[in-house]
Structures are given as C-alpha cells and as structure tokens.
Amino acid sequence: MCRSIFLAFDWKNSVVFSHHSDTGMSPKITGELLRQLRQAMKNCKYFSEPIQAYIVPSGDAHQSEYIAPCDCRREFICGFNGSAGTAIVTEQHAALWTDGRYFLQASQQMDNNWTLMKMGLKETPSQEDWLISILPENSKVGVDPWIIAADQWKNMSKALTSAGHSLVAVQDNLIDVVWMDRPERPSTQLRTLGLEYTGMSWQDKITALRTKMTERKVTWFVATALDEIAWLFNLRGADIEYNPVFFAYAIVGMNTIRLFVDLKRLSDPALRDHLQLDSPSKPELSIHTYPYESVYTELQAICAAHSPKDKVWICDKASCALTQVIPKAHRTPIPYTPLCLAKAVKNESEIQGMKMAHIKDAVALCELFAWLEKEIPKGTVTEMSAADKAEELRSQQKEFVGLSFPTISSVGPNGAIIHYRPLPETNRTLSMNEVYLIDSGAQYVDGTTDVTRTVHFGTPSAFEKECFTYVLKGHIAVSAAIFPNGTKGHLLDSFARAALWESGLDYLHGTGHGVGCFLNVHEGPCGISYKTFADEPLEAGMIVSDEPGYYEDGSFGIRIENVVLVVPAQPKYNYRNRGSLTFEPLTLVPIQVKMMNTEMLTQKEREWVNEYHRKCREVIGAELERQGRKEALEWLMRETQPVV
Amino acid sequence: MCRSIFLAFDWKNSVVFSHHSDTGMSPKITGELLRQLRQAMKNCKYFSEPIQAYIVPSGDAHQSEYIAPCDCRREFICGFNGSAGTAIVTEQHAALWTDGRYFLQASQQMDNNWTLMKMGLKETPSQEDWLISILPENSKVGVDPWIIAADQWKNMSKALTSAGHSLVAVQDNLIDVVWMDRPERPSTQLRTLGLEYTGMSWQDKITALRTKMTERKVTWFVATALDEIAWLFNLRGADIEYNPVFFAYAIVGMNTIRLFVDLKRLSDPALRDHLQLDSPSKPELSIHTYPYESVYTELQAICAAHSPKDKVWICDKASCALTQVIPKAHRTPIPYTPLCLAKAVKNESEIQGMKMAHIKDAVALCELFAWLEKEIPKGTVTEMSAADKAEELRSQQKEFVGLSFPTISSVGPNGAIIHYRPLPETNRTLSMNEVYLIDSGAQYVDGTTDVTRTVHFGTPSAFEKECFTYVLKGHIAVSAAIFPNGTKGHLLDSFARAALWESGLDYLHGTGHGVGCFLNVHEGPCGISYKTFADEPLEAGMIVSDEPGYYEDGSFGIRIENVVLVVPAQPKYNYRNRGSLTFEPLTLVPIQVKMMNTEMLTQKEREWVNEYHRKCREVIGAELERQGRKEALEWLMRETQPVV
C-alpha cells in the first residue's frame, strides 16, 4: 500500500483535513537510485537530447487525492511518503519541496542525498527559482506530462522559458525506468450499482451530460477524474485504497461513448449486461471500449477529425499530456466538470442510501463507545486497538466495503496533531484522564461516512469543556444556519469560528468538504472554508461535512464532525423568491454531554442538542434494538438524556 | 457638475453602495454628434488608417470613482449619466452597456440612435462578441488608452485579435474632438495639511515607500490614483466633487521625486514651503515638478535610461497608456499599491481627526433629527429640504469642507431604492406615517464621515420594526465581532446577514467599505462584502463602514451605518499569539429605539445598544452642551434612554 494521505478537494498545500501517513523512521538509501535516474536523464532512448533536471510530482494521471502504489513515484525516489511534495533531481542536486506538516517526517525519511525545501519559509526558493539558480544555460527540464496538471505545466514552462531554459515532456516516466519492482497498476473487479443505489441509469446520466454539452455548444467531453467516471457508469472498483474507483478514462461525444479501461475487466457477463456492451439499446448509447492506454491516440484521432467549430470540455486540472492533445482553439478548460457538479447533488436514492449508511455507521460507533467505556479502565485499549475495534464493528454492518480513510484515533496530545494517525511508535493507551478524538468513516455499498467524536472517559477539565463547548457552538451555528439559495459554502465558515474567536481561539483548517456517495470521502465542488477557492453555491441535495475543532498543542484536540445534507428551509419570509436552505445531519451519533459546559449554551443551542439526541435515540435506537445490540442501546439511551 | 455616482472600491459592476445620479428625463439628441464622431473616426489626422469602431468607457485616467465634468465623455456622447456604462460607436451602430440599476434611466436619457445593452441578461452580448458579430473583416477598434485600464485593454485586445480585428490606441480622444464646449480640467487651489492632521510628513511617507521598494527590489513607483497622491504629499484639492483630490501623477525613484501637476497651482509660497520646492532639505527629498501632461514622456525617458534590472511598480488598474510605457519585463503590476495599503492604516493623528470629525458630524445630525421632529408635523419637510438642512447644519461645524457624497434622503418606497437621490420629480414629503432613511456624510479638514440612520416620526409597523431589528442585529454582530489578526473583511460579511437570513431576508449590497481621512469616502484595500475580491486583511487603524440593510420594494428601506475603527481586542485567550481585533464605532448618533423590537434582542445586544447610547450621551452630549445646542441635547438625552 502506498500510504498517501488526503487533503480536501482543492485545498492542496494547506493544513486542511490531512490524514497522516506512516512514517518509516529510518531514511531510504537513494544513492544508487539517483545514479540510475541520472543515467536515464542522459539516455537518448527517452528523448532526442539529454535533460539537465527531472521533476517528480506527487499524484497520478487522474488528479487523485489518494494514489495507487504504482503511482507513488516521488516516494520511491526519495523515501518521503507524505501526501504533498515534489522532488527535483538535477545532475548535481536532489531536492524535495513539501509544506510545514511534513518537515520533520521528510527529514527523517530522506537520506543526505536530498535537500529538504521547506515551503512557506521566506528563505525557501520556489522550484522555478531554484532551478533557474542552479541550471547551466539553455537547460532542458523534463517531466512526465501525464502526472503534471495542465495549469502547473503552464506556470513552470513560462518561468523556465523566460530564463532561457525549456520544460520538456518526457513520455516514458524515468522513475519507472529505474523502479525494478514497481507494482502493477491495480485492476480490481468492477462492481455494478443498480438503480436502487444510484437513482439514475448511466444512460440517463449520459443524456443529461449531452444536454449540458448542447447548452454550452460543446461537442466532446473528456472525463479524467476516477470518481466522475465511476459515478457516470454506475460502477465501482477497488484500485485505490479507501476510494472505490477504478483506472479509466471516458470520452463522451454527442453520438458516441468511449470507455478506456483494462479490457480484461469487462469479461463478467453481469457487467457486460450493465454496460449493454453486447446489445446496446440505441446506437448513441452504445459504449465502445478501448484499452486504458489508448486514450491518447483515440483523443488525437478525434481531434484530427474535428470540425473547426468543435469544442472539447476538459477539466483544467487534467494532465498536461491529455490536455495538450486537444488543439488550443478547441479546448474549453473548466474548473469543475458537469459530472462533478451533477455528482455533488445527490438524488433521492443516493440520499436514502447515505442515510442508511450513516445509520449503520452510528450503530457501529455506539457499540465502540459502549465497549470503550467498559474496556478503558482495564488499561488495555490503545489508539491502534480502538481503531481496529471500530473497523471490526463497522465490518459487521451490511454492505460494508472498507474504510473511507485511515482512522484518526488519538489520545491527549496526539489529538492536537490534526493529521495524526496512530503508529506503533506513537501509540498511546486510552485512559480515564485524557481526551480521546476519533475521526473515522467507512464505505458501504449504499453510502460513505465520515464522523468525528471527542470524548472523555473520566472527568474533563474545565478548560477542555470550555473549548469543547466553543467548538460545539460553532458546529451548531453551521448546522442550524439558514441561508439563501445560491450561497457559497465559504460564506458560512465564520459561523463555525465566531464562538472560538470571541475567546481568542481558532483552528487552522477548513470547516467542511463535499462527501461522495459510495465514492471519495472528499469531493468537489462545494465545501465550507475560509479559503475562498472557486466553490460552487450550495444547493439542496449536496452533502458536506461540518467539522470545526480546537487543538491545544501538546495537550488535547477537539473536533465535532457530522456529515450534513443541504435541504430546503422554510423561514417566515422568502425574499425575492430566492428560497432558503439549511442542513440536516446525516450522522446520528451522540455528542458527549459530559464534555459540554451547558451553562455556556444558549437556549436555542440546548434545544438543538436535545433535538439532535432525540433523533439519535429514535433512529439509531430503533436500529440497535432491531440488531439486538443491547449494551450499545443502553449506552445510547444514557448518552442522549436531555440537557437542561 | 458631472453627476457621476460612486461604487465602492473594487466593486464595480455590482449593486453595492451606489449613489444615484440625477436623471434628466428627456433623451439627449445625439444624431449630429454621432455624425461628427463618425467623421472623426475616418479622419486621418488622428491615426494612419480609419477605425471602424470607437469605445468610450466611463472614468478618467486615474481610476477615479467620481469623475470631473471634463471626463464625462460617455455621458456627453450618449446622454446617459449613470456611474457605470460603456458606449461603443461603429459606422452603423451606437450601443451602450450598463447594468440593472440603470436600465430605466439609460433608456430615458438616450435617443433612438442608441441601443441599450442590458448587462446581466442572458441574451445580451458582451462588448467583444457584439463587435465581432457586426464588424467587417480586419476592422480596427479605437479607444483612448488613457481611459481604459491596462487589464481591460488586454482582454478586449485578445478577443478582437482572435477574431481577426485589432484594438488600437487613439492618442487624441475623439469625443474631445467633437465636444465643443467641453469644460476645462479643474485646477482648484491646493490645501496643505500639517502634521497635526496627517501625523506624518510627506518626507517620512516617501522614505517609508522607498523602504517598501527596497524590500521588493523595485526602483520606481508610479502613482496614478488621485487620493494616493494627495495622501502622499499631504495636500488636498477640490478638482472632483465630494473628493478632496487634485489631478496629478507622481513618480518616485530611490533618489528622485517627480510630481506632475498644473504648475500654475504651485505659486502659493506656503505650498512651495510645504513641498520644500525652493530649498529642499536633502537632495533625495527634493521634489521636481513637471506639467501634468508630461508624465508620459518623463516615464518614457526614465524607462529608456533603465538598467535591465530596474523594476517599476504600477497599479494593475492604471491606464493602459501609462502602463505600456513601461517595458513589460520591467513592469511589476500590483492590485494595491504600497500607498493604498499605508493610507488605509490610519495613524494616531488621523484617528484623532476622524474622531473629531465624527463628533461634529453627530452634532449636526442630532440637530437635524431634533429639527425634523418639530417640523415634520407641519408637512413642509421634503426629502430634498431635509438633505439641504443636513448640509446646512454640517456646514456650521468647524473645518467643514463639503459633502463626502450626494445625500441619500428617502421616505417610504423611495428608501427601497438603494442608490436613490431625491430629485424634484421624485421628491416626497416626510410624514408621520413612513420610514425615513438618510445616508449622508461630509468632508472636514480633520476627517471624512458617512452615516446612515433610519427613523420613524410616528408609529412604525410591526413588520418595519421586525426588519429594523434584524438589520440592527447584523450591525451589532459585525461591530462587536472579535476576530483574529489577519482576518479578511469578507469573512465577517455573513455575521451582518445571519439574523435576516434566519427569517428568509437579505440585502443585495456589501456590508462595508474602507473610508479615507479627509479623502475619498470609499477607498481600498479593505472592506466587508460577500464578494470575495482581493481584499487585504483587516488591521488595527483601518477604518471601514458597517452598514447592513433591508429593502422592501415599494414600501420602505432600512440601513444602519456606522463608520468603525479596527482596534485590538483582548479576549480571554491568545491562540498562537496571533492577537485579536474588534471594532470601535466612530459614528456616535443614536439608533432609534422606537424602531426596535427590543424583545427580539438578546441580552448582549441590549447591552451593546445601551453602551453605544451611553457613549453618544457622554461624547456628543458634552459637545452639544459646549456648542450650546440645547434642543439637540434634549433630543439626544431622550433618544439614548437605556432599553430594558
């Protein structure tokens, strides 16, 4: 497994929702590898002239947040396995750029062939400036055009060109050339999803996409994001851990559908039937399948046969290689594809599925907390064993597929490390004296979950309760907010912080991210963050997380996270007939009253807590009863007593 | 007077803080003017080849919000005198683009030679698309490069070039060619401001600017914004109504200072002394004066003598003409200049001056309201006469210079027109039965004011009180907010709306704008708006307005506006030593309790109102007493009774 971590969609390079990776504590020995790579940089088999530098970005050819082991090339060459980082190797130097979350980890994982470039520090040069300062005149800098995004290519190329160098696309990846035991690209079994889960056939999704294309006078759409392709065809895979996606591309025209995927995966008769590969109902809904690798030549052929008026939609974060196949005049780059937008607004079946998934997930978590209460006094439960128990309990639930991200299970000071993940060398024992934070989630066939609870099994300090209550106030302020249709999520972010700010506190991550339905736990194009990235307005049916926090370095961490559904609200008035929206919590796990300073809550906030707990009782109580999980039910009833 | 209106800094083209202009209700007859203009478009005196279209933007060569009569070229050619609009004349067509605020006004002011292009409607083509659709092949489109901003030129030029046309800079303005009685460019007397007002000599401001230039390795700075130049040299003029600025440019190098201004203005010995024109203290602080018009050739000469490493700072909103003098490699365009940033953070003397100005302004307003209470029952007060009275009362205060914008004085349904300004044909009489909204402000030598109060002289309806109370809650939420150092103003905008949103209401303008100190009432680079323009973080010493509202079309308008100062806050904790900020109201005019539904207020909100009114009593009461204005003092005491 490549232990890449994730950052919320579009929040790359910021301290937001990162889940930490394993840190192998001894550095990787890279001398011989670098020698081989430098050899390859001079080897004319791969290009007409030698290159003087080679850039190794993170990531795969699909803008994936998590990547498959075969794509962990930057980790392979330098040893550093954090989620964010770019390695650059020249004839003399090797340097890695990463951000503040990873300074320590990177310095531990890399040997002294590597220079750590600490991004965000004033004295650290940018990759462009560094290259320009050390390269001989007229140098060529190589990069795999499949791994670098079109917009990144553009910036790097511009900077290098203006200094007399050039950026060149090296078609064969030079890391792969020296990576002897590189894993195969995964090709897991594909799973078809019926209408009961998806609510919309892939045929109808194609038709809706074509309607959007017609509206915008676009004749071709190139899909490169794996979750969009999985969503479009109502298929799921297991090629990337935590993300039920599969490696593929798709090109949709007004009369044709091309799917690029390892063809061996298409032998299953049920799958062939689902995609109507052998007997398409209509010619324009007939899927033509091609090998994964042939997307480049097919797109080339399509573009060659172009009429001058044909416009091609491609995400501006797609790979440089695929983007540049499309002649510039025909290219219509978009920050979010129509599939990304359509996928974000869940239909009735998806909402129903997400609700079911969250009920099952809450059952498992109620059981976990009841079990922890019993076991912790024995002193045998650790961060890692608690995480394992959570997974075990989730796996007992119907249609469980796997986790949706690595569980953050953290006690005391570990809780203050936002992207913490327990490792043998950091593993703490849960006790009656420290705050416990668990941020976890799962993939079920009917939906994806992501929930954080912060609890104390003994007596929390007044300060811990005070901070918890500020965070709770923020959580409620977002969850109960009523706002006009068309409001962008970033306008709600300050609601989550107001109570903390009033006391001089804050947290340095966003407040919420979009959540997929049996898809990626982080998805665009909506979110709630102080960073005003180009988020799309919230609309009914969208699903986001609401997760303010507070982190006291060296002491404890607090985060309260629900997944919430955007629903219409019916306030007293309706200004300009715009309509209003609010949130409905899908997560139904009690929020620990013991951690609250209830005197700090307003009457409205107390009512929100009581109504939330009433709903937990009603919905999760019934399910616990049905599943005969008595201890958890008792725990739930006790934890959901009204506050006064 | 050119009755141009203003839009808050950087919020052009949005419905934000606009102050309406007079609407001449009969259209301007433009047939002959257009004939002459089209003649000029073919006349080789102005260019080597005829042009097929001519663009007439709003605005002057200094990115001014308000413009002088001589710069109202778009109004001259088409008759439409709203603040925002672009006219384009071709051989066959004449069209004007403006936004929704002005559809009615523009249609009334233009004759049928003109096509009104309603911006924001789906069917309305952009200027580029329209030009491309009607121009013959290989057309030349002309524009005055002094009036078009560098970034607008770039976009227009790109679009035209890609369609086979070209955008050409026409040095002589073709409107001026046909404008026989065009007013002279104003050249009013300059006023020097001493240290007691400015708190910092122009010499020290130059030195501080040079420090910033050194930090960023910039060798030249070109100042084009009139308020920045006025601020830098501690001078004021009266060239543009409401804005105490004067037409000038400045170019600051590391050892030289060039000031471009009508040299006739520099004869006053006190002024020459202020600028040390005859006996500079140090060579690098010697100001070299040049005629206003010679900025182009001087900048050319500077650039010609450039070393290849010299960098020139110029605002990216500066004119295309001046921007393009600087070779691209030397140009460092910036969204906000260092002067804009420095000017926004007021020093102790400026803060003291702003406080004094607001005390005088409050005295005038208390008198106004006391007078209105007495006069309204007689049925003789109109929107216009009330505005005149407000101006008269302000003019009695020390160091009054003029209004800071045209007074918005509106009764009943007129109050719902956000950019209303009373005109003879719309002028309503103030009564005991309707809500009255007055948004007004003045320029004093020590500071600039901008205040809105909404009052009822009879018995407001329950709905009017309800809406007023939501707006008040929003006003308080912003004014009392505590937030971390480094927070951008747009993150506070939703606080102003939360109470309205909860009831399904909203207002369609921003919440606050920066305010100059005896300078423009709207200034960058900070503000409070849902529009996430590139605002700079708030810091102590900045001054902004806090002015949420609610507008019930056809019925009434509510707005509560204070000018507030950003000050350090001392909450309980200090997360990561970032420090916290909050606001201190500079405006000290009672907020009408009669309009409040006090039951809807929280205890905290009631305390805020009482503390605010206590301060009004204390500060304004003392000043009213000192000035012997008894009736106003009685009114103040009555209006500031604590709410319970």
Side-chain angles (χ1 to χ4, degrees), chain B residues 590-606:
Chain B
I591 299 168
Q592 198 179 39
V593 174
K594 190 202 278 182
M595 282 293 289
M596 302 175 194
N597 179 338
T598 51
E599 283 174 21
M600 287 166 56
L601 296 177
T602 65
Q603 186 55 32
K604 266 189 177 172
E605 288 163 344
R606 272 190 290 268

Side-chain angles (χ1 to χ4, degrees), chain A residues 388-401:
Chain A
D388 290 344
K389 184 71 182 180
E391 181 165 1
E392 179 202 321
L393 291 167
R394 281 190 164 106
S395 73
Q396 295 169 7
Q397 293 297 316
K398 229 174 58 184
E399 299 185 308
F400 171 85
V401 176

Side-chain angles (χ1 to χ4, degrees), chain A residues 463 466 482-484 490-491 494-495 501-506 508 532 553 571-573 575-576 578 604, chain B residues 463 466 482-484 490-491 494-495 501-506 508 532 553 571-573 575-576 578 604:
Chain A
F463 182 56
E466 182 185 351
I482 296 176
F483 50 90
H490 68 254
L491 290 171
S494 299
F495 290 157
W501 281 358
E502 204 180 330
S503 294
L505 305 178
D506 197 7
L508 301 182
T532 50
D553 282 346
K572 201 167 167 188
Y573 305 110
Y575 180 64
R576 301 218 168 176
R578 283 194 300 176
K604 266 190 175 172
Chain B
F463 182 56
E466 181 184 350
I482 295 174
F483 49 92
H490 68 253
L491 291 171
S494 299
F495 290 157
W501 282 358
E502 203 179 332
S503 292
L505 304 178
D506 198 5
L508 302 182
T532 50
D553 282 346
K572 199 167 169 186
Y573 305 110
Y575 181 64
R576 301 215 168 180
R578 283 195 299 174
K604 266 189 177 172

Side-chain angles (χ1 to χ4, degrees), chain B residues 307-381:
Chain B
S307 109
K309 281 195 168 175
D310 280 1
K311 290 273 175 200
V312 183
W313 254 350
I314 189 164
C315 182
D316 61 10
K317 288 157 209 83
S319 71
C320 173
L322 216 50
T323 304
Q324 293 192 349
V325 173
I326 309 161
K328 213 174 167 182
H330 298 262
R331 219 183 285 161
T332 307
I334 37 176
Y336 298 109
T337 73
L339 295 190
C340 178
L341 283 164
K343 174 167 63 64
V345 183
K346 274 70 178 174
N347 61 39
E348 271 314 308
S349 307
E350 290 169 321
I351 290 170
Q352 197 48 41
M354 285 295 271
K355 285 185 177 173
M356 291 309 297
H358 279 82
I359 291 172
K360 295 182 280 189
D361 211 57
V363 164
L365 275 189
C366 289
E367 283 204 279
L368 175 75
F369 287 121
W371 179 83
L372 286 173
E373 257 186 25
K374 222 173 47 190
E375 297 298 319
I376 283 170
K378 303 178 188 165
T380 53
V381 185

